[in-house]
Amino acid sequence: MTRLTLVILLSSACVFAQQKASAEKEAAMKADMAGQIDGMKKQAQVMVDSVFSFGELGFQEFETSKYLSAILEKEGFKVERGVAGIPTAFVATWGEGKPVIALGSDIDDIPQASQKPGVAYHDPLIEGAPGHGEGHNSGMPLQILAALAAKRVMEREHLKGTLKIWPGVAEELVGAKAYFVRAGIFKDVDVCLFAHVANDLNVSYGPTNGSGLVSVEYMFKGESAHAAGAPWRGRSALDAVELMSVGYEFRREHLRLATRVHYVITNGGDQPNVVPPNASIWFYFREADYDHIMNLWRIADNMAQGAALMTDTTYTSRLLGTAWPGYFNQPIAEDMFANIKKVGLPQWSEQDQALAKAFQAEMKVPVRGLATRIGELRPPRPQANANGEEGGVGPTGGPSDDIGDISWNVPTVTLRYPSNIPGGPGHNWANAISMATPIAHKGVVAGAKVQAMTILDILLHPELVQRAWDYFNNVQTKDVKYKSFLRPSDQPALFLNQKIMEQYRERMKAFYYNPAKYDTYLEQLGIQYPTVRHVQ
Ligand SMILES: [Zn+2]
């Protein structure tokens, strides 16, 4: 053996030993974080149950926002409130220097989804009131646990980096994230780790199967008249609304399979004997990409113009929300998935499974209980032509989340964590059933561990951030560049849901969770866990 070979061998053995030592140290740090998060189980339960009990709709998340930002402030985060001109939005920052890691999750709930937790059938806390029928009460508690565990390790090991925690305000209206982007909140961010409730523990990358959208309201103006005495003097704004909706219904057949268009009539007039002088209709226009979404919006403007011509009315319109279709980062997703396999699914109790199975029987879906196996990290579906040409089915449309806007500005992934039960219809009281029970609490704890470990990987491995940006620049945004749907004059639709919350808030206050007095929210409500239908 030559001297040189010996030196090379020794030095590579040394590098190998160093790598092994640092891998061991990393594993120890991750185990420590997981232990810390297990130690915060009580805090997870209190946060999840509290936000569940606030049950606030989009843009009206005042209690939720106050509560979560106060926790972060107490933990040493610097909180900036009212960001992007949205009163319930905030950014809580801790640490210094690069990398900057953004942690976010949605906080708003669903109209008319009030539901007692732990009860496997429809049983509202307050009939008609909003409720967490999407499980958005759990994501920010998850991010807070992960951030606190990361912060402790960063302090102890003197790791450089910045954590930025922000709530997804009014996600059900896709109402805020494009404004966050416009306000520059993600300008200095290296990686965004989002989290969304699910019934499994997983992550994905590439284009999602969901859609992007614009949410637009058309307001028609006519002339009132006695509907029987002088109907010929009236110009019905409601007629215009109906003709516009019928126009879109006819057009529907001649749109791509990826199209999803739906609407509600937000103002249909006052009473039948008065020709409605004002009426309005609110649409979501969903498609697979920017240009096709803009096309649906253009068609709608034509329909509105046609309806106004037919009825001798006039109209104005306003943009109430927007979302780009999501596109998630492969290197970060792969790293996160390795952590998912490390953490594994929660240990479900017999009671957890009994609730899940009773729920599934109630929903008339396969009774298979809660998730017990981690799925795979699958490559995205090949993007075939959406017209169904070239043999492909193409995107067929689906739900939207305005995390899409952030995902086109900074490498982003969405961690899915198992706080819900498989088989719910979504946006429904049924999806609230598990959300203040041990199922939700355990799902949050498992998700927080994955998130904390992924934060650590980003802090310790600058090359991971480098690879994330390579993918972002050279794969994701190679041909597609982000253009906001927002026009300079558009402003957040802060007025949405105001009236509904005014109607219910006082009665809902009686149900706010009091952790000083009750161990759990189930205990406060006097609910036996689980409560299932009595089977004869
Ligand atoms: Zn959601």
PDB file of all heavy atoms in Angstrom, residues 294-325:
ATOM      1  N   MET A 294     -59.126  31.640 -16.012  1.00  0.00           N
ATOM      2  CA  MET A 294     -59.438  32.976 -16.537  1.00  0.00           C
ATOM      3  C   MET A 294     -60.506  32.886 -17.633  1.00  0.00           C
ATOM      4  O   MET A 294     -61.365  33.766 -17.751  1.00  0.00           O
ATOM      5  CB  MET A 294     -58.169  33.644 -17.094  1.00  0.00           C
ATOM      6  CG  MET A 294     -57.164  34.056 -16.037  1.00  0.00           C
ATOM      7  SD  MET A 294     -57.820  35.199 -14.801  1.00  0.00           S
ATOM      8  CE  MET A 294     -57.803  36.747 -15.683  1.00  0.00           C
ATOM      9  N   ASN A 295     -60.467  31.800 -18.407  1.00  0.00           N
ATOM     10  CA  ASN A 295     -61.457  31.622 -19.472  1.00  0.00           C
ATOM     11  C   ASN A 295     -62.863  31.448 -18.892  1.00  0.00           C
ATOM     12  O   ASN A 295     -63.843  32.007 -19.408  1.00  0.00           O
ATOM     13  CB  ASN A 295     -61.074  30.426 -20.347  1.00  0.00           C
ATOM     14  CG  ASN A 295     -61.980  30.310 -21.552  1.00  0.00           C
ATOM     15  OD1 ASN A 295     -62.242  31.307 -22.239  1.00  0.00           O
ATOM     16  ND2 ASN A 295     -62.494  29.122 -21.801  1.00  0.00           N
ATOM     17  N   LEU A 296     -62.981  30.682 -17.792  1.00  0.00           N
ATOM     18  CA  LEU A 296     -64.301  30.505 -17.168  1.00  0.00           C
ATOM     19  C   LEU A 296     -64.842  31.833 -16.652  1.00  0.00           C
ATOM     20  O   LEU A 296     -66.047  32.102 -16.702  1.00  0.00           O
ATOM     21  CB  LEU A 296     -64.208  29.503 -15.999  1.00  0.00           C
ATOM     22  CG  LEU A 296     -63.827  28.058 -16.339  1.00  0.00           C
ATOM     23  CD1 LEU A 296     -63.782  27.228 -15.061  1.00  0.00           C
ATOM     24  CD2 LEU A 296     -64.801  27.450 -17.337  1.00  0.00           C
ATOM     25  N   TRP A 297     -63.933  32.646 -16.155  1.00  0.00           N
ATOM     26  CA  TRP A 297     -64.305  33.960 -15.630  1.00  0.00           C
ATOM     27  C   TRP A 297     -64.785  34.865 -16.783  1.00  0.00           C
ATOM     28  O   TRP A 297     -65.790  35.558 -16.677  1.00  0.00           O
ATOM     29  CB  TRP A 297     -63.078  34.566 -14.927  1.00  0.00           C
ATOM     30  CG  TRP A 297     -63.322  35.786 -14.093  1.00  0.00           C
ATOM     31  CD1 TRP A 297     -64.494  36.472 -13.941  1.00  0.00           C
ATOM     32  CD2 TRP A 297     -62.346  36.468 -13.294  1.00  0.00           C
ATOM     33  NE1 TRP A 297     -64.303  37.545 -13.089  1.00  0.00           N
ATOM     34  CE2 TRP A 297     -62.996  37.557 -12.686  1.00  0.00           C
ATOM     35  CE3 TRP A 297     -60.983  36.267 -13.045  1.00  0.00           C
ATOM     36  CZ2 TRP A 297     -62.320  38.434 -11.823  1.00  0.00           C
ATOM     37  CZ3 TRP A 297     -60.322  37.137 -12.193  1.00  0.00           C
ATOM     38  CH2 TRP A 297     -60.987  38.217 -11.594  1.00  0.00           C
ATOM     39  N   ARG A 298     -64.075  34.788 -17.904  1.00  0.00           N
ATOM     40  CA  ARG A 298     -64.450  35.570 -19.091  1.00  0.00           C
ATOM     41  C   ARG A 298     -65.849  35.156 -19.583  1.00  0.00           C
ATOM     42  O   ARG A 298     -66.697  36.002 -19.876  1.00  0.00           O
ATOM     43  CB  ARG A 298     -63.410  35.323 -20.203  1.00  0.00           C
ATOM     44  CG  ARG A 298     -63.615  36.132 -21.478  1.00  0.00           C
ATOM     45  CD  ARG A 298     -62.689  35.631 -22.593  1.00  0.00           C
ATOM     46  NE  ARG A 298     -62.948  34.241 -22.969  1.00  0.00           N
ATOM     47  CZ  ARG A 298     -63.924  33.845 -23.776  1.00  0.00           C
ATOM     48  NH1 ARG A 298     -64.751  34.728 -24.302  1.00  0.00           N
ATOM     49  NH2 ARG A 298     -64.094  32.561 -24.061  1.00  0.00           N
ATOM     50  N   ILE A 299     -66.085  33.841 -19.621  1.00  0.00           N
ATOM     51  CA  ILE A 299     -67.407  33.356 -20.047  1.00  0.00           C
ATOM     52  C   ILE A 299     -68.483  33.898 -19.105  1.00  0.00           C
ATOM     53  O   ILE A 299     -69.558  34.323 -19.545  1.00  0.00           O
ATOM     54  CB  ILE A 299     -67.429  31.804 -20.060  1.00  0.00           C
ATOM     55  CG1 ILE A 299     -66.499  31.267 -21.149  1.00  0.00           C
ATOM     56  CG2 ILE A 299     -68.848  31.274 -20.252  1.00  0.00           C
ATOM     57  CD1 ILE A 299     -66.230  29.769 -21.045  1.00  0.00           C
ATOM     58  N   ALA A 300     -68.184  33.913 -17.823  1.00  0.00           N
ATOM     59  CA  ALA A 300     -69.158  34.400 -16.836  1.00  0.00           C
ATOM     60  C   ALA A 300     -69.469  35.879 -17.054  1.00  0.00           C
ATOM     61  O   ALA A 300     -70.629  36.298 -16.958  1.00  0.00           O
ATOM     62  CB  ALA A 300     -68.629  34.174 -15.420  1.00  0.00           C
ATOM     63  N   ASP A 301     -68.440  36.646 -17.355  1.00  0.00           N
ATOM     64  CA  ASP A 301     -68.680  38.068 -17.641  1.00  0.00           C
ATOM     65  C   ASP A 301     -69.614  38.214 -18.853  1.00  0.00           C
ATOM     66  O   ASP A 301     -70.519  39.058 -18.851  1.00  0.00           O
ATOM     67  CB  ASP A 301     -67.357  38.804 -17.915  1.00  0.00           C
ATOM     68  CG  ASP A 301     -66.592  39.118 -16.627  1.00  0.00           C
ATOM     69  OD1 ASP A 301     -67.182  38.991 -15.526  1.00  0.00           O
ATOM     70  OD2 ASP A 301     -65.406  39.483 -16.728  1.00  0.00           O
ATOM     71  N   ASN A 302     -69.413  37.374 -19.871  1.00  0.00           N
ATOM     72  CA  ASN A 302     -70.311  37.392 -21.032  1.00  0.00           C
ATOM     73  C   ASN A 302     -71.740  37.033 -20.627  1.00  0.00           C
ATOM     74  O   ASN A 302     -72.705  37.656 -21.077  1.00  0.00           O
ATOM     75  CB  ASN A 302     -69.835  36.389 -22.095  1.00  0.00           C
ATOM     76  CG  ASN A 302     -68.667  36.924 -22.898  1.00  0.00           C
ATOM     77  OD1 ASN A 302     -68.362  38.117 -22.838  1.00  0.00           O
ATOM     78  ND2 ASN A 302     -68.002  36.045 -23.621  1.00  0.00           N
ATOM     79  N   MET A 303     -71.881  36.007 -19.812  1.00  0.00           N
ATOM     80  CA  MET A 303     -73.206  35.568 -19.356  1.00  0.00           C
ATOM     81  C   MET A 303     -73.905  36.703 -18.601  1.00  0.00           C
ATOM     82  O   MET A 303     -75.097  36.933 -18.764  1.00  0.00           O
ATOM     83  CB  MET A 303     -73.083  34.383 -18.397  1.00  0.00           C
ATOM     84  CG  MET A 303     -72.488  33.155 -19.004  1.00  0.00           C
ATOM     85  SD  MET A 303     -73.704  32.301 -20.001  1.00  0.00           S
ATOM     86  CE  MET A 303     -72.636  31.108 -20.793  1.00  0.00           C
ATOM     87  N   ALA A 304     -73.135  37.384 -17.753  1.00  0.00           N
ATOM     88  CA  ALA A 304     -73.710  38.470 -16.954  1.00  0.00           C
ATOM     89  C   ALA A 304     -74.176  39.601 -17.870  1.00  0.00           C
ATOM     90  O   ALA A 304     -75.272  40.148 -17.702  1.00  0.00           O
ATOM     91  CB  ALA A 304     -72.683  38.983 -15.950  1.00  0.00           C
ATOM     92  N   GLN A 305     -73.341  39.884 -18.863  1.00  0.00           N
ATOM     93  CA  GLN A 305     -73.688  40.939 -19.817  1.00  0.00           C
ATOM     94  C   GLN A 305     -74.959  40.549 -20.581  1.00  0.00           C
ATOM     95  O   GLN A 305     -75.862  41.371 -20.759  1.00  0.00           O
ATOM     96  CB  GLN A 305     -72.537  41.085 -20.807  1.00  0.00           C
ATOM     97  CG  GLN A 305     -72.174  42.501 -21.115  1.00  0.00           C
ATOM     98  CD  GLN A 305     -70.962  42.526 -22.050  1.00  0.00           C
ATOM     99  OE1 GLN A 305     -70.019  41.736 -21.890  1.00  0.00           O
ATOM    100  NE2 GLN A 305     -71.006  43.415 -23.018  1.00  0.00           N
ATOM    101  N   GLY A 306     -75.022  39.289 -21.025  1.00  0.00           N
ATOM    102  CA  GLY A 306     -76.195  38.801 -21.752  1.00  0.00           C
ATOM    103  C   GLY A 306     -77.445  38.866 -20.892  1.00  0.00           C
ATOM    104  O   GLY A 306     -78.513  39.311 -21.349  1.00  0.00           O
ATOM    105  N   ALA A 307     -77.315  38.453 -19.632  1.00  0.00           N
ATOM    106  CA  ALA A 307     -78.470  38.466 -18.728  1.00  0.00           C
ATOM    107  C   ALA A 307     -78.938  39.892 -18.472  1.00  0.00           C
ATOM    108  O   ALA A 307     -80.147  40.166 -18.409  1.00  0.00           O
ATOM    109  CB  ALA A 307     -78.097  37.781 -17.413  1.00  0.00           C
ATOM    110  N   ALA A 308     -77.991  40.815 -18.367  1.00  0.00           N
ATOM    111  CA  ALA A 308     -78.350  42.218 -18.155  1.00  0.00           C
ATOM    112  C   ALA A 308     -79.078  42.770 -19.386  1.00  0.00           C
ATOM    113  O   ALA A 308     -80.078  43.490 -19.258  1.00  0.00           O
ATOM    114  CB  ALA A 308     -77.095  43.037 -17.859  1.00  0.00           C
ATOM    115  N   LEU A 309     -78.612  42.397 -20.572  1.00  0.00           N
ATOM    116  CA  LEU A 309     -79.268  42.848 -21.806  1.00  0.00           C
ATOM    117  C   LEU A 309     -80.695  42.319 -21.888  1.00  0.00           C
ATOM    118  O   LEU A 309     -81.627  43.041 -22.260  1.00  0.00           O
ATOM    119  CB  LEU A 309     -78.478  42.353 -23.031  1.00  0.00           C
ATOM    120  CG  LEU A 309     -77.264  43.174 -23.450  1.00  0.00           C
ATOM    121  CD1 LEU A 309     -76.512  42.460 -24.567  1.00  0.00           C
ATOM    122  CD2 LEU A 309     -77.677  44.580 -23.901  1.00  0.00           C
ATOM    123  N   MET A 310     -80.865  41.047 -21.527  1.00  0.00           N
ATOM    124  CA  MET A 310     -82.190  40.430 -21.631  1.00  0.00           C
ATOM    125  C   MET A 310     -83.197  41.045 -20.666  1.00  0.00           C
ATOM    126  O   MET A 310     -84.396  40.971 -20.898  1.00  0.00           O
ATOM    127  CB  MET A 310     -82.074  38.919 -21.349  1.00  0.00           C
ATOM    128  CG  MET A 310     -81.530  38.134 -22.536  1.00  0.00           C
ATOM    129  SD  MET A 310     -81.596  36.361 -22.225  1.00  0.00           S
ATOM    130  CE  MET A 310     -80.054  36.123 -21.379  1.00  0.00           C
ATOM    131  N   THR A 311     -82.701  41.601 -19.574  1.00  0.00           N
ATOM    132  CA  THR A 311     -83.617  42.055 -18.517  1.00  0.00           C
ATOM    133  C   THR A 311     -83.600  43.565 -18.320  1.00  0.00           C
ATOM    134  O   THR A 311     -84.286  44.073 -17.434  1.00  0.00           O
ATOM    135  CB  THR A 311     -83.215  41.389 -17.183  1.00  0.00           C
ATOM    136  OG1 THR A 311     -81.808  41.626 -16.969  1.00  0.00           O
ATOM    137  CG2 THR A 311     -83.483  39.900 -17.202  1.00  0.00           C
ATOM    138  N   ASP A 312     -82.820  44.259 -19.141  1.00  0.00           N
ATOM    139  CA  ASP A 312     -82.667  45.707 -18.968  1.00  0.00           C
ATOM    140  C   ASP A 312     -82.236  46.050 -17.542  1.00  0.00           C
ATOM    141  O   ASP A 312     -82.783  46.960 -16.902  1.00  0.00           O
ATOM    142  CB  ASP A 312     -83.973  46.444 -19.314  1.00  0.00           C
ATOM    143  CG  ASP A 312     -83.888  47.075 -20.700  1.00  0.00           C
ATOM    144  OD1 ASP A 312     -82.766  47.464 -21.094  1.00  0.00           O
ATOM    145  OD2 ASP A 312     -84.926  47.145 -21.383  1.00  0.00           O
ATOM    146  N   THR A 313     -81.295  45.290 -17.053  1.00  0.00           N
ATOM    147  CA  THR A 313     -80.700  45.581 -15.744  1.00  0.00           C
ATOM    148  C   THR A 313     -79.219  45.890 -15.964  1.00  0.00           C
ATOM    149  O   THR A 313     -78.714  45.775 -17.084  1.00  0.00           O
ATOM    150  CB  THR A 313     -80.822  44.380 -14.790  1.00  0.00           C
ATOM    151  OG1 THR A 313     -80.181  43.245 -15.393  1.00  0.00           O
ATOM    152  CG2 THR A 313     -82.279  44.034 -14.514  1.00  0.00           C
ATOM    153  N   THR A 314     -78.537  46.260 -14.904  1.00  0.00           N
ATOM    154  CA  THR A 314     -77.089  46.457 -14.981  1.00  0.00           C
ATOM    155  C   THR A 314     -76.435  45.556 -13.940  1.00  0.00           C
ATOM    156  O   THR A 314     -77.118  45.019 -13.064  1.00  0.00           O
ATOM    157  CB  THR A 314     -76.698  47.920 -14.689  1.00  0.00           C
ATOM    158  OG1 THR A 314     -77.193  48.264 -13.386  1.00  0.00           O
ATOM    159  CG2 THR A 314     -77.279  48.857 -15.733  1.00  0.00           C
ATOM    160  N   TYR A 315     -75.130  45.391 -14.059  1.00  0.00           N
ATOM    161  CA  TYR A 315     -74.457  44.556 -13.059  1.00  0.00           C
ATOM    162  C   TYR A 315     -73.069  45.078 -12.730  1.00  0.00           C
ATOM    163  O   TYR A 315     -72.449  45.795 -13.531  1.00  0.00           O
ATOM    164  CB  TYR A 315     -74.365  43.100 -13.531  1.00  0.00           C
ATOM    165  CG  TYR A 315     -73.224  42.822 -14.485  1.00  0.00           C
ATOM    166  CD1 TYR A 315     -71.998  42.361 -14.008  1.00  0.00           C
ATOM    167  CD2 TYR A 315     -73.370  43.041 -15.848  1.00  0.00           C
ATOM    168  CE1 TYR A 315     -70.941  42.115 -14.876  1.00  0.00           C
ATOM    169  CE2 TYR A 315     -72.317  42.798 -16.711  1.00  0.00           C
ATOM    170  CZ  TYR A 315     -71.101  42.343 -16.228  1.00  0.00           C
ATOM    171  OH  TYR A 315     -70.060  42.115 -17.084  1.00  0.00           O
ATOM    172  N   THR A 316     -72.598  44.713 -11.539  1.00  0.00           N
ATOM    173  CA  THR A 316     -71.198  44.878 -11.165  1.00  0.00           C
ATOM    174  C   THR A 316     -70.740  43.517 -10.640  1.00  0.00           C
ATOM    175  O   THR A 316     -71.574  42.642 -10.382  1.00  0.00           O
ATOM    176  CB  THR A 316     -71.009  45.927 -10.043  1.00  0.00           C
ATOM    177  OG1 THR A 316     -71.855  45.570  -8.954  1.00  0.00           O
ATOM    178  CG2 THR A 316     -71.364  47.325 -10.518  1.00  0.00           C
ATOM    179  N   SER A 317     -69.434  43.337 -10.502  1.00  0.00           N
ATOM    180  CA  SER A 317     -68.958  42.067  -9.957  1.00  0.00           C
ATOM    181  C   SER A 317     -67.785  42.326  -9.034  1.00  0.00           C
ATOM    182  O   SER A 317     -67.156  43.387  -9.097  1.00  0.00           O
ATOM    183  CB  SER A 317     -68.542  41.125 -11.072  1.00  0.00           C
ATOM    184  OG  SER A 317     -67.387  41.624 -11.719  1.00  0.00           O
ATOM    185  N   ARG A 318     -67.539  41.354  -8.134  1.00  0.00           N
ATOM    186  CA  ARG A 318     -66.363  41.473  -7.259  1.00  0.00           C
ATOM    187  C   ARG A 318     -65.732  40.108  -7.043  1.00  0.00           C
ATOM    188  O   ARG A 318     -66.420  39.091  -6.994  1.00  0.00           O
ATOM    189  CB  ARG A 318     -66.740  42.123  -5.923  1.00  0.00           C
ATOM    190  CG  ARG A 318     -67.834  41.409  -5.159  1.00  0.00           C
ATOM    191  CD  ARG A 318     -68.202  42.212  -3.909  1.00  0.00           C
ATOM    192  NE  ARG A 318     -69.298  41.582  -3.171  1.00  0.00           N
ATOM    193  CZ  ARG A 318     -69.885  42.127  -2.119  1.00  0.00           C
ATOM    194  NH1 ARG A 318     -69.497  43.315  -1.680  1.00  0.00           N
ATOM    195  NH2 ARG A 318     -70.852  41.496  -1.491  1.00  0.00           N
ATOM    196  N   LEU A 319     -64.409  40.145  -6.926  1.00  0.00           N
ATOM    197  CA  LEU A 319     -63.627  38.924  -6.706  1.00  0.00           C
ATOM    198  C   LEU A 319     -63.575  38.657  -5.207  1.00  0.00           C
ATOM    199  O   LEU A 319     -63.137  39.506  -4.436  1.00  0.00           O
ATOM    200  CB  LEU A 319     -62.215  39.133  -7.253  1.00  0.00           C
ATOM    201  CG  LEU A 319     -61.263  37.943  -7.207  1.00  0.00           C
ATOM    202  CD1 LEU A 319     -61.729  36.845  -8.157  1.00  0.00           C
ATOM    203  CD2 LEU A 319     -59.843  38.384  -7.572  1.00  0.00           C
ATOM    204  N   LEU A 320     -64.041  37.463  -4.780  1.00  0.00           N
ATOM    205  CA  LEU A 320     -64.090  37.164  -3.344  1.00  0.00           C
ATOM    206  C   LEU A 320     -63.009  36.183  -2.888  1.00  0.00           C
ATOM    207  O   LEU A 320     -62.767  36.030  -1.694  1.00  0.00           O
ATOM    208  CB  LEU A 320     -65.468  36.607  -2.972  1.00  0.00           C
ATOM    209  CG  LEU A 320     -66.652  37.537  -3.239  1.00  0.00           C
ATOM    210  CD1 LEU A 320     -67.958  36.887  -2.800  1.00  0.00           C
ATOM    211  CD2 LEU A 320     -66.475  38.879  -2.516  1.00  0.00           C
ATOM    212  N   GLY A 321     -62.395  35.496  -3.827  1.00  0.00           N
ATOM    213  CA  GLY A 321     -61.350  34.555  -3.438  1.00  0.00           C
ATOM    214  C   GLY A 321     -60.662  33.996  -4.665  1.00  0.00           C
ATOM    215  O   GLY A 321     -61.197  34.057  -5.781  1.00  0.00           O
ATOM    216  N   THR A 322     -59.452  33.464  -4.468  1.00  0.00           N
ATOM    217  CA  THR A 322     -58.690  32.889  -5.580  1.00  0.00           C
ATOM    218  C   THR A 322     -57.805  31.764  -5.056  1.00  0.00           C
ATOM    219  O   THR A 322     -57.428  31.764  -3.892  1.00  0.00           O
ATOM    220  CB  THR A 322     -57.734  33.921  -6.214  1.00  0.00           C
ATOM    221  OG1 THR A 322     -56.652  34.169  -5.306  1.00  0.00           O
ATOM    222  CG2 THR A 322     -58.422  35.218  -6.543  1.00  0.00           C
ATOM    223  N   ALA A 323     -57.500  30.826  -5.926  1.00  0.00           N
ATOM    224  CA  ALA A 323     -56.526  29.790  -5.565  1.00  0.00           C
ATOM    225  C   ALA A 323     -55.861  29.273  -6.825  1.00  0.00           C
ATOM    226  O   ALA A 323     -56.544  28.950  -7.798  1.00  0.00           O
ATOM    227  CB  ALA A 323     -57.199  28.642  -4.835  1.00  0.00           C
ATOM    228  N   TRP A 324     -54.561  29.183  -6.780  1.00  0.00           N
ATOM    229  CA  TRP A 324     -53.830  28.460  -7.831  1.00  0.00           C
ATOM    230  C   TRP A 324     -53.931  26.973  -7.525  1.00  0.00           C
ATOM    231  O   TRP A 324     -54.005  26.583  -6.360  1.00  0.00           O
ATOM    232  CB  TRP A 324     -52.359  28.898  -7.845  1.00  0.00           C
ATOM    233  CG  TRP A 324     -52.099  29.931  -8.897  1.00  0.00           C
ATOM    234  CD1 TRP A 324     -52.625  31.186  -8.946  1.00  0.00           C
ATOM    235  CD2 TRP A 324     -51.268  29.788 -10.045  1.00  0.00           C
ATOM    236  NE1 TRP A 324     -52.172  31.841 -10.061  1.00  0.00           N
ATOM    237  CE2 TRP A 324     -51.332  30.994 -10.753  1.00  0.00           C
ATOM    238  CE3 TRP A 324     -50.458  28.766 -10.555  1.00  0.00           C
ATOM    239  CZ2 TRP A 324     -50.632  31.210 -11.951  1.00  0.00           C
ATOM    240  CZ3 TRP A 324     -49.763  28.964 -11.738  1.00  0.00           C
ATOM    241  CH2 TRP A 324     -49.855  30.179 -12.431  1.00  0.00           C
ATOM    242  N   PRO A 325     -53.912  26.125  -8.568  1.00  0.00           N
ATOM    243  CA  PRO A 325     -53.839  24.684  -8.280  1.00  0.00           C
ATOM    244  C   PRO A 325     -52.517  24.381  -7.573  1.00  0.00           C
ATOM    245  O   PRO A 325     -51.499  24.977  -7.921  1.00  0.00           O
ATOM    246  CB  PRO A 325     -53.888  24.030  -9.662  1.00  0.00           C
ATOM    247  CG  PRO A 325     -53.868  25.115 -10.661  1.00  0.00           C
ATOM    248  CD  PRO A 325     -53.897  26.439  -9.996  1.00  0.00           C
TER     249      PRO A 325
END
